[in-house]
Amino acid sequence: NRKGDKTITVGAKDFTEQYVLGSMISVLLSENGFNVTEQFGTGSTITREGLETAQTDLYAEYTGTAWAVYLNRADEVISDPELLYDMVKAEDAANGIVWLAPAPMNNTFALAVRADDVAAYGDSLTSLAAYNNAHPGEIIFGISHEFYERADGFWAMADAYGMKVEESQVRNMDAGLSFEAIDRGQIDVAMVFATDGKLPKFNLKVLTDPQNFFPIYNMAVCVRQEILDQYPEIEEILAPLSEFDDESMQLLNYKVDAEEIPAEKVARDYLEAEGLI
Amino acid sequence: MIELKNVTKKFGQLEAVHNLSLCLEKGKITMFIGPSGCGKTTTLKMINRLIEPDEGDILVNGESIFTQEPVALRRSIGYVIQDVGLFPHYSVFDNIALVPRLLKWDEKRIQTRVDELLDLVTLNASYGKKYPLQLSGGEQQRVGLARALAADPDILLMDEPFGAIDPINRSKLQDSFLEIQETIQKTIIFVTHDINEAITLGDRIAIMNAGHLVQYDEPNEILQNPKDDFVEHLLGADRNLKALSLEKIRDYLDEDAYLTVAPGTNPEQIKQKLRTANRKLALAVDENGILQGRYNLEPSSTQADGEKLSYDGQPVVMSRNNNLIEALSMMLETGENQLPVVTSKGKLRGVIKLTQIFAKVEAAKAEKNI
Amino acid sequence: MIELKNVTKKFGQLEAVHNLSLCLEKGKITMFIGPSGCGKTTTLKMINRLIEPDEGDILVNGESIFTQEPVALRRSIGYVIQDVGLFPHYSVFDNIALVPRLLKWDEKRIQTRVDELLDLVTLNASYGKKYPLQLSGGEQQRVGLARALAADPDILLMDEPFGAIDPINRSKLQDSFLEIQETIQKTIIFVTHDINEAITLGDRIAIMNAGHLVQYDEPNEILQNPKDDFVEHLLGADRNLKALSLEKIRDYLDEDAYLTVAPGTNPEQIKQKLRTANRKLALAVDENGILQGRYNLEPSSTQADGEKLSYDGQPVVMSRNNNLIEALSMMLETGENQLPVVTSKGKLRGVIKLTQIFAKVEAAKAEKNI
Amino acid sequence: MSFFEFLQVYQSKIWLEFVQHLRIITISIPIAILISAPLGFLISSRPKLAKIVLNFASILMTIPSLALFGIMVVVLAPFKLGLGMTPAVVAISVYSILPITRNIYTALNQVSPSIVEAAVGLGMSRGQILSQIKIPLSVPVIMAGVRNAVILGVSVATFASLVGAGGLGSLIFSGISRTNLKMVVVGALLVSFLGIVVNYLFLILEDALTPAGLKIKN
Amino acid sequence: MSFFEFLQVYQSKIWLEFVQHLRIITISIPIAILISAPLGFLISSRPKLAKIVLNFASILMTIPSLALFGIMVVVLAPFKLGLGMTPAVVAISVYSILPITRNIYTALNQVSPSIVEAAVGLGMSRGQILSQIKIPLSVPVIMAGVRNAVILGVSVATFASLVGAGGLGSLIFSGISRTNLKMVVVGALLVSFLGIVVNYLFLILEDALTPAGLKIKN
Ligand SMILES: Nc1ncnc2c1ncn2[C@@H]1O[C@H](COP(=O)(O)OP(=O)(O)OP(=O)(O)O)[C@@H](O)[C@H]1O
Ligand SMILES: Nc1ncnc2c1ncn2[C@@H]1O[C@H](COP(=O)(O)OP(=O)(O)OP(=O)(O)O)[C@@H](O)[C@H]1O
Ligand SMILES: [Mg+2]
Ligand SMILES: [Mg+2]
């Protein structure tokens, strides 16, 4: 196949990790003779709609997001990562979407606090709950709309840990803005994603989740069946992506978020360093 | 011909025009006059359908205007709007060229026509490039007039077209207006608040008051026979003088009131001749009939015979086309009660006498009383 | 007093006003007249600083207007704008009340004043509620006039204030204007394009042409002594008649030209008396001096003595305040060459004779030639 | 879940956010107008200043709302005002400046010269001409600008949910991130409804402000 | 990383997105105007239709851009146009309708009655009065609306990145999500720069469209 015949559109959502992963997919494919069109930075649901409507061919997605949002199964909590992957893969087959091999990284929801506050709040959700209940109304939570609204979101978490949170303690806000907000002391606890590179940048501490309350968000590449049928080699080419764990992913995100290296370069540097290209 | 049949227009309570029936003759100038607010503008606007009457019908050339396409109707009717209404974004040229352009004349013809019209309204051709905001009030009004005339419409509605124009330009405009009208014979409805203008220009005058037609007649008839106090008042205290302005000297020449003598005749001889003929005036006329001088026999206490003969080598004369009011004014100026009348070449045609002017009014009265 | 000193204003190339120096007397009416575009409006606008001159100075009561606060200056000057410029969003009442409100008059006083002004400009009080768009052209102009007069300013600039007003309302307005002026003695600058208006209203007339002041004089002086052809032309062919309009009959009464008789005197006796006195006119006057009738001795071919005495029980009379032109017009109407003059109560004061009218013009001429 | 069931379940939340949206706009729109309108009047007779202000307002207008909120989270943080109602009010005000000031500037500068001349000639001061002549005559154009700004404001208020001020934006944004179409539709419909209501109220206001003399047409 | 270093590192990306933003607006703004302006003229003499159109445009204006894009991704999918330039163009057009049509409607309806009467009286047709009299006299107000819409368009174009059309929005939005202020600032500055340039171009256009007679002031 001459380069140029194999055209493919790669998508990515509008946050750092997605740009990194998207760039990686894009680099790998073009190194392997694909003529790649990048369609990065689209809103989360828009990205998925793009895939479903064949306007995008593949992108990196998370099992938990698909399960709860696209497949509308938020009320059935599955805490076994492999089972979740299998279920999602099986169900999405009906939509003409293939889930390639999953990575161990789990970009789940998490709550983070300023490192200084760990002394007071402790390092887990359990200790946070205790502090919160002892100091009613003191802690301000910055929570994204999605997490706030979901049945398995904020309120369910508070219930699970016996945290008594008043409505007035919650600020619904854009996830991107919450880092500045916590840094400037306008909120005390921010909802974040576990692999976010800004966590080290802002010196935030992710609280542990002893009860495994948060759903699983393993990353895997979603490809349209049609495309995979046409270019079965894609599965092989993108196999390295299934290597990422939380640390390696967070490191790459950190490079983009804190060191301000362009995502495309971060991806290429990583692939080169790993000898993948 | 324009015919209004029982036309009524109300604004709320106010009846601006009441049951107006009027027949405006083709090729004639009809003047509308009346107190402000009496419905003149409203009547005009009904003719080109800017205002729709509440009742009645209006026929143009026998056809009801309400069956006609308003745009086509209006293009066949020139309209000089009372508050001028020039288009501020167009130059004077473009304002005048508007209707010809609507009618898709070619630009060369338009150029010629605009120049012609600017000249007609006594504006310099350089005004074409000016914009309305740069014109004085009277200049604006003249441009508005030119605009209405541009496409040579058969019917002209003119709402106080000379309202803001000075007497010199006004009389020039009136003259050229009448001159043109003589050849082109348009049907013109002309609103004015100047009774002299109505008399000078009008073939007929329609006098309105409070929405009603009070009198509709020829100027002379109205002057001599005002229908009621209102009309009399409108005509003014000097309406008899006004009537004189309609009469040309040519129709009142007297050829017997004087003697003619050859230039250089002996004064004593002339004195003698005048006494014999019982005249006071001798006119010196050369072999070509050209008036050369004027001898007056005047009472004198220094002269032995109680009379002296004065000579004027540059006598004041009138033209046959002057009107009686001008003759009267000149008599007042000169103190003469008779003036020689000559052609444009200077040929003597007769004299006009003060007594004749008075007699003229008398005669008109007498005629009326029969 | 308003003094213009070497005032010049250019619009681009065009010199709208050229080196104009003029002294406008306090308490007098100065009329500006001239062809349209000659710079009348521009001059007016320089006085209230709507236009700043390029050169020269303007003093009001001895103080340069350029050292004064424009807003205060303008409030002390009433201004009637040529294109009326009513505020379309304000009712007639509010338009007129505008300046008094700026001056914080109380509403009661304003109400009274507006009513007074509407009456003055011959508009019904109900017009207060109308809006400018609902008025006819002449009505709008009258509201504009009322607006300028509202706060009783000492100086009035009036730019063709009666331009669109019909003769009846115009002469009413002129009369009340003169009447008020007599008591309030404002300094008024009044632009007009009507030469009759200039003559009737003006204490002085300033004639302009192409930015230059051509003649500045009293009306009479201008009529009798036009400076050049331009002025003569502007005054019109009948300027001598116009001059007569400035003269009141009261100044030309003749008390010797007739005999008085008691009412009911025997006609033959009257005839006798007239012959003896070598008069043609006998007036019947009662014991209170009231004129009752008029006897004329006229030539008659049917009568044995060649004369007959006619009697008119309702003789045409003139008032002492009529002007000579009105007298002349009435003579034309009646065919008489002398008319009795009476007071408003009917008391006989004398007669006015045609010969006297002519003599008046003669006299003026003679005076000039000395 | 049927649409009807959805409405029942979310009833109180919808109502809450609706009321919150209403609060945001009833606070912010008057403030926005009170800031922009005087600015428009101020620049109306100062063409140079007007150029600067209008260019600056254009720049403000091009700042995407999210970026504006991002800036405010930082800038207003010292006053503890970076989240909640304040940034929403500020953003709505910022976006209303351009449509309001530009229309005011344009409207006031195209009042008929002869009317302005009459006003000047009668001895009205600048301020009086502005308030008694130019503004009343410009009401239609000014109100066109205000109504555009107001609608824009109702729309911008949806972003308020991104900085913790709540409002119908939270329905729309969480609806979008959860692909819950019902939620998006309900949110959007209610925003539109508010838009129409506000539009209508301002139409009434416009009618009240328009001088009677301007409403007369033959 | 200093701001200067940042610019060097991101140089090509910034340039790319800038050009892309430019492309989006040069395509979409003319389209937006070509849709909105005729609509404005159409409704100018039809008050009832105008009410409907303006209300409808108000509703469109209140739809949050994200929701609008979400709808288009689905609606335009059959034509493979749901992502990229098309939805951006559509959105910019949609948001320009209100400011443009409203100002056109308002402007055309406040041309002086006596001028319109003169035009009618001279026998001009509706269309001629519109094109030769009302529109030229309304240029300032119409262009005020158009320029507002255009600035809004430059701003809305930033959202185009959310549907994969790229442009300066991707700098701004990833800057926000990365809390990379430099990125946000560069993006916002460039959008503002484009805003100023476009504003300036339209000022020139306005000047060219304004009839000479209207520019004369004493
Ligand atoms: N703003 C302007 N720009 C250029 N030329 C002007 C301007 N205003 C007036 N003019 C010109 O200046 C001259 C004098 O104008 P002005 O208005 O003073 O005349 P006017 O004597 O009042 O005439 P009218 O009797 O017609 O009102 C005219 O030729 C006119 O064209
Ligand atoms: N649109 C309107 N609404 C209400 N009344 C009106 C309207 N137009 C005119 N009028 C009234 O109708 C009457 C007749 O107006 P019209 O304009 O016909 O008068 P005109 O004879 O032309 O007066 P002028 O000599 O002052 O121009 C006036 O009393 C005027 O106030
Ligand atoms: Mg009229
Ligand atoms: Mg003038």
mmCIF file of all heavy atoms in Angstrom, chain E residues 66-80:
data_model
loop_
_atom_site.group_PDB
_atom_site.id
_atom_site.type_symbol
_atom_site.label_atom_id
_atom_site.label_comp_id
_atom_site.label_asym_id
_atom_site.label_seq_id
_atom_site.Cartn_x
_atom_site.Cartn_y
_atom_site.Cartn_z
ATOM 1 N N LEU E 66 -22.150 24.894 22.518
ATOM 2 C CA LEU E 66 -21.816 23.484 22.660
ATOM 3 C C LEU E 66 -23.010 22.604 22.287
ATOM 4 O O LEU E 66 -22.871 21.593 21.600
ATOM 5 C CB LEU E 66 -21.398 23.214 24.109
ATOM 6 C CG LEU E 66 -20.265 22.225 24.287
ATOM 7 C CD1 LEU E 66 -19.060 22.622 23.465
ATOM 8 C CD2 LEU E 66 -19.906 22.114 25.755
ATOM 9 N N ALA E 67 -24.187 23.034 22.716
ATOM 10 C CA ALA E 67 -25.391 22.277 22.381
ATOM 11 C C ALA E 67 -25.635 22.326 20.879
ATOM 12 O O ALA E 67 -25.983 21.322 20.246
ATOM 13 C CB ALA E 67 -26.588 22.849 23.129
ATOM 14 N N LEU E 68 -25.405 23.484 20.309
ATOM 15 C CA LEU E 68 -25.609 23.640 18.875
ATOM 16 C C LEU E 68 -24.684 22.698 18.110
ATOM 17 O O LEU E 68 -25.095 22.013 17.168
ATOM 18 C CB LEU E 68 -25.336 25.095 18.486
ATOM 19 C CG LEU E 68 -25.724 25.518 17.075
ATOM 20 C CD1 LEU E 68 -27.206 25.364 16.859
ATOM 21 C CD2 LEU E 68 -25.313 26.958 16.822
ATOM 22 N N PHE E 69 -23.435 22.637 18.548
ATOM 23 C CA PHE E 69 -22.485 21.745 17.888
ATOM 24 C C PHE E 69 -22.898 20.289 18.062
ATOM 25 O O PHE E 69 -22.819 19.485 17.141
ATOM 26 C CB PHE E 69 -21.071 21.955 18.450
ATOM 27 C CG PHE E 69 -20.439 23.224 17.968
ATOM 28 C CD1 PHE E 69 -19.844 24.102 18.852
ATOM 29 C CD2 PHE E 69 -20.430 23.529 16.613
ATOM 30 C CE1 PHE E 69 -19.250 25.268 18.411
ATOM 31 C CE2 PHE E 69 -19.836 24.705 16.154
ATOM 32 C CZ PHE E 69 -19.257 25.571 17.055
ATOM 33 N N GLY E 70 -23.360 19.963 19.281
ATOM 34 C CA GLY E 70 -23.812 18.599 19.538
ATOM 35 C C GLY E 70 -24.919 18.204 18.575
ATOM 36 O O GLY E 70 -24.928 17.109 18.010
ATOM 37 N N ILE E 71 -25.849 19.144 18.384
ATOM 38 C CA ILE E 71 -26.959 18.860 17.471
ATOM 39 C C ILE E 71 -26.433 18.652 16.050
ATOM 40 O O ILE E 71 -26.803 17.698 15.366
ATOM 41 C CB ILE E 71 -27.976 20.030 17.481
ATOM 42 C CG1 ILE E 71 -28.631 20.129 18.866
ATOM 43 C CG2 ILE E 71 -29.033 19.831 16.414
ATOM 44 C CD1 ILE E 71 -29.354 21.444 19.099
ATOM 45 N N MET E 72 -25.500 19.532 15.632
ATOM 46 C CA MET E 72 -25.031 19.454 14.253
ATOM 47 C C MET E 72 -24.238 18.197 13.960
ATOM 48 O O MET E 72 -24.295 17.664 12.851
ATOM 49 C CB MET E 72 -24.228 20.708 13.916
ATOM 50 C CG MET E 72 -25.150 21.869 13.601
ATOM 51 S SD MET E 72 -24.277 23.249 12.951
ATOM 52 C CE MET E 72 -23.466 23.821 14.420
ATOM 53 N N VAL E 73 -23.480 17.739 14.965
ATOM 54 C CA VAL E 73 -22.705 16.509 14.748
ATOM 55 C C VAL E 73 -23.643 15.388 14.313
ATOM 56 O O VAL E 73 -23.341 14.611 13.409
ATOM 57 C CB VAL E 73 -21.949 16.109 16.031
ATOM 58 C CG1 VAL E 73 -21.364 14.719 15.873
ATOM 59 C CG2 VAL E 73 -20.855 17.095 16.338
ATOM 60 N N VAL E 74 -24.805 15.356 14.953
ATOM 61 C CA VAL E 74 -25.768 14.314 14.617
ATOM 62 C C VAL E 74 -26.484 14.640 13.304
ATOM 63 O O VAL E 74 -26.547 13.824 12.388
ATOM 64 C CB VAL E 74 -26.793 14.175 15.758
ATOM 65 C CG1 VAL E 74 -27.838 13.136 15.396
ATOM 66 C CG2 VAL E 74 -26.077 13.825 17.043
ATOM 67 N N VAL E 75 -26.974 15.862 13.217
ATOM 68 C CA VAL E 75 -27.809 16.229 12.073
ATOM 69 C C VAL E 75 -27.014 16.197 10.764
ATOM 70 O O VAL E 75 -27.516 15.764 9.733
ATOM 71 C CB VAL E 75 -28.415 17.644 12.281
ATOM 72 C CG1 VAL E 75 -29.138 18.099 11.028
ATOM 73 C CG2 VAL E 75 -29.359 17.618 13.468
ATOM 74 N N LEU E 76 -25.792 16.662 10.828
ATOM 75 C CA LEU E 76 -25.004 16.765 9.602
ATOM 76 C C LEU E 76 -24.220 15.484 9.297
ATOM 77 O O LEU E 76 -23.568 15.397 8.257
ATOM 78 C CB LEU E 76 -24.045 17.952 9.678
ATOM 79 C CG LEU E 76 -24.702 19.332 9.815
ATOM 80 C CD1 LEU E 76 -23.645 20.405 9.985
ATOM 81 C CD2 LEU E 76 -25.571 19.639 8.600
ATOM 82 N N ALA E 77 -24.302 14.502 10.216
ATOM 83 C CA ALA E 77 -23.515 13.278 10.040
ATOM 84 C C ALA E 77 -23.776 12.563 8.704
ATOM 85 O O ALA E 77 -22.829 12.134 8.053
ATOM 86 C CB ALA E 77 -23.766 12.325 11.202
ATOM 87 N N PRO E 78 -25.037 12.487 8.291
ATOM 88 C CA PRO E 78 -25.298 11.766 7.041
ATOM 89 C C PRO E 78 -24.501 12.331 5.865
ATOM 90 O O PRO E 78 -24.226 11.628 4.910
ATOM 91 C CB PRO E 78 -26.792 11.979 6.818
ATOM 92 C CG PRO E 78 -27.346 12.289 8.152
ATOM 93 C CD PRO E 78 -26.261 12.947 8.926
ATOM 94 N N PHE E 79 -24.155 13.590 5.949
ATOM 95 C CA PHE E 79 -23.384 14.196 4.859
ATOM 96 C C PHE E 79 -21.908 14.225 5.198
ATOM 97 O O PHE E 79 -21.135 14.902 4.549
ATOM 98 C CB PHE E 79 -23.884 15.624 4.604
ATOM 99 C CG PHE E 79 -25.375 15.735 4.634
ATOM 100 C CD1 PHE E 79 -26.032 16.270 5.736
ATOM 101 C CD2 PHE E 79 -26.135 15.278 3.560
ATOM 102 C CE1 PHE E 79 -27.414 16.348 5.781
ATOM 103 C CE2 PHE E 79 -27.509 15.364 3.595
ATOM 104 C CZ PHE E 79 -28.160 15.896 4.705
ATOM 105 N N LYS E 80 -21.542 13.557 6.275
ATOM 106 C CA LYS E 80 -20.146 13.562 6.735
ATOM 107 C C LYS E 80 -19.669 14.979 7.009
ATOM 108 O O LYS E 80 -18.525 15.335 6.747
ATOM 109 C CB LYS E 80 -19.239 12.924 5.667
ATOM 110 C CG LYS E 80 -19.378 11.421 5.583
ATOM 111 C CD LYS E 80 -18.224 10.772 6.317
ATOM 112 C CE LYS E 80 -18.321 9.246 6.166
ATOM 113 N NZ LYS E 80 -17.575 8.593 7.252
#
